[in-house]
Amino acid sequence: MPARRGGYGAAMRVLVTGGAGFIGSHVADLLAAQGHQLVVLDALLPQAHGADVPGWTAEHEFVRGDVRDPQVLQRLLPGVDAVCHQAAMVGHGVDPFDAPDFTTHNDLGTAVLLAEMHRAGIGRLVLAGSMVVYGEGRYDCAEHGVVRPGPRTQRDVDAGVFEPRCPRCGRELTSGLVPEDAPLDPRSTYAATKLAQEHLASAWARQTGGSVWSLRYHNVYGARMPFGTPYAGVASIFRSSLERGEAPRVMEDGRQRRDFVHVSDVAAANLAALTTPVDGFAAANVCSGEPHTVGDLASELARAMGGPAPEVVGGARPGDVRHVVADPAFARERLGFAARTSFADGVAAFATDPLRSPIG
């Protein structure tokens, strides 16, 4: 008996919010290539988009609109089988005046979407989560085992001491892999809104019997990133400097570790989540499993672009964390997801990938 449309493993009609953006557009392209029908919704926020509608949206049914507008959703959701929610205001932010924008776009937008999904009888959501919900990563103390460090002091940062200390004995700690059940400790406004999205989605799943995968993206890079904006990711900021003939400026000592994951792998993780059943709410790290330092990224990109070597400038922004390196085991076991793009190949491609210049 053939699978009905919308069943797991069958062709679906999917609403992709934020589907004209960096990650959302790659998700939309992959879903379409796999035979799914799409509706792409995007507000085209000026922090991330240029003046024109991106050309890649021409391949899909595209609606310019705001996920916070119930009337837009009421028009688009009937007949949809699942929602892939990528729409968000992203980035570290500039100052506390960003907080209302982060909160309304990310949390109010998610709440409106969940309410309208319930109205339309849609029970499947894939949420663009983030590793920022962890705050600092996992750390071990030689004497006290796994511990949770507090925020680094300005005195230590000013003195060039960047490694977190054990809250019990003051020793510097050793970083390890962060599993999904690690304590959640957001340390920026953006991070707080991403955790609130997860709480809203989890409550919705309990109330409605729906299913949610929250994909906790680690440091995503690749084609179509916005550049020339303080809201961009570090890979984009480094490339912008190199294109101006300037050395990438690396904060702290450059040895802070991250997991840089290529956007094509992030799209594959979304496809896996849309086609994998889950009871209620579950979160999964989306990472490469190949951690590198921020200094590694700057150096590799400078070599690929033939630019000046990175300049290590010290200091740290408020809310910056030292190490966040993901454990990929749960996503591999439950979603069958493993990244395929190596760091060297991904950064080499990123050196010439087309990016987007925002207008605000």
Side-chain angles (χ1 to χ4, degrees):
M1 182 176 181
R4 71 174 182 86
R5 188 178 73 84
Y8 287 99
M12 293 180 286
R13 183 167 175 81
V14 182
L15 173 64
V16 182
T17 72
F22 167 39
I23 297 173
S25 65
H26 287 275
V27 173
D29 287 352
L30 180 60
L31 293 180
Q34 294 295 314
H36 300 292
Q37 299 176 14
L38 301 183
V39 181
V40 170
L41 174 66
D42 203 299
L44 300 181
L45 296 179
Q47 296 96 327
H49 293 275
D52 300 321
V53 176
W56 50 80
T57 61
E59 302 297 318
H60 311 298
E61 179 184 340
F62 173 70
V63 175
R64 183 169 186 171
D66 197 317
V67 73
R68 297 170 295 179
D69 186 339
Q71 293 183 338
V72 170
L73 296 173
Q74 289 164 19
R75 187 170 79 249
L76 299 182
L77 285 172
V80 164
D81 300 299
V83 175
C84 190
H85 184 31
Q86 307 294 316
M89 182 175 169
V90 303
H92 192 280
V94 176
D95 55 41
F97 290 116
D98 286 330
D101 282 342
F102 274 119
T103 303
T104 56
H105 284 293
N106 298 353
D107 300 336
L108 177 61
T110 299
V112 173
L113 174 64
L114 292 169
E116 294 306 326
M117 286 177 65
H118 181 55
R119 186 193 307 275
I122 301 166
R124 293 165 61 183
L125 174 70
V126 174
L127 173 66
S130 175
M131 59 86 173
V132 295
V133 299
Y134 297 121
E136 287 285 357
R138 174 191 164 117
Y139 291 90
D140 292 273
C141 172
E143 181 178 350
H144 298 107
V146 177
V147 296
R148 196 73 184 156
R152 294 177 292 179
T153 67
Q154 191 62 49
R155 178 182 298 176
D156 276 352
V157 169
D158 291 343
V161 178
F162 301 112
E163 296 297 335
R165 298 179 181 274
C166 175
R168 298 175 64 183
C169 67
R171 287 188 176 93
E172 289 189 9
L173 301 171
T174 302
S175 70
L177 300 181
V178 183
E180 287 81 358
D181 61 358
L184 304 180
D185 183 21
R187 297 192 177 187
S188 69
T189 301
Y190 171 64
T193 66
K194 296 306 288 184
L195 181 54
Q197 282 185 308
E198 287 199 352
H199 288 323
L200 289 166
S202 178
W204 173 86
R206 287 193 299 272
Q207 291 171 335
T208 66
S211 65
V212 179
W213 279 106
S214 179
L215 302 181
R216 291 177 179 165
Y217 303 157
H218 285 251
N219 289 71
V220 187
Y221 70 100
R224 304 177 184 171
M225 284 187 86
F227 75 102
T229 166
Y231 299 94
V234 66
S236 175
I237 292 171
F238 288 163
R239 181 170 145 176
S240 295
S241 296
L242 288 162
E243 287 185 345
R244 295 191 301 268
E246 301 171 1
R249 292 169 57 84
V250 181
M251 300 194 77
E252 303 187 22
D253 57 3
R255 291 196 282 270
Q256 57 271 44
R257 298 199 307 151
R258 298 290 188 270
D259 189 304
F260 299 100
V261 58
H262 195 264
V263 68
S264 62
D265 289 317
V266 175
N270 276 270
L271 175 63
L274 280 165
T275 54
T276 302
V278 62
D279 292 329
F281 175 93
N285 287 324
V286 174
C287 61
S288 71
E290 187 185 352
H292 288 274
T293 68
V294 174
D296 290 340
L297 174 66
S299 297
E300 193 79 14
L301 190 57
R303 280 193 294 271
M305 296 180 67
E311 177 185 355
V312 177
V313 299
R317 298 177 301 182
D320 273 355
V321 298
R322 178 61 173 173
H323 304 295
V324 186
V325 177
D327 187 340
F330 182 75
R332 184 174 57 245
E333 294 164 4
R334 288 291 307 276
L335 292 174
F337 166 75
R340 301 179 64 180
T341 305
S342 72
F343 179 75
D345 289 346
V347 174
F350 182 68
T352 56
D353 277 336
L355 304 186
R356 291 174 296 133
S357 180
I359 60 174

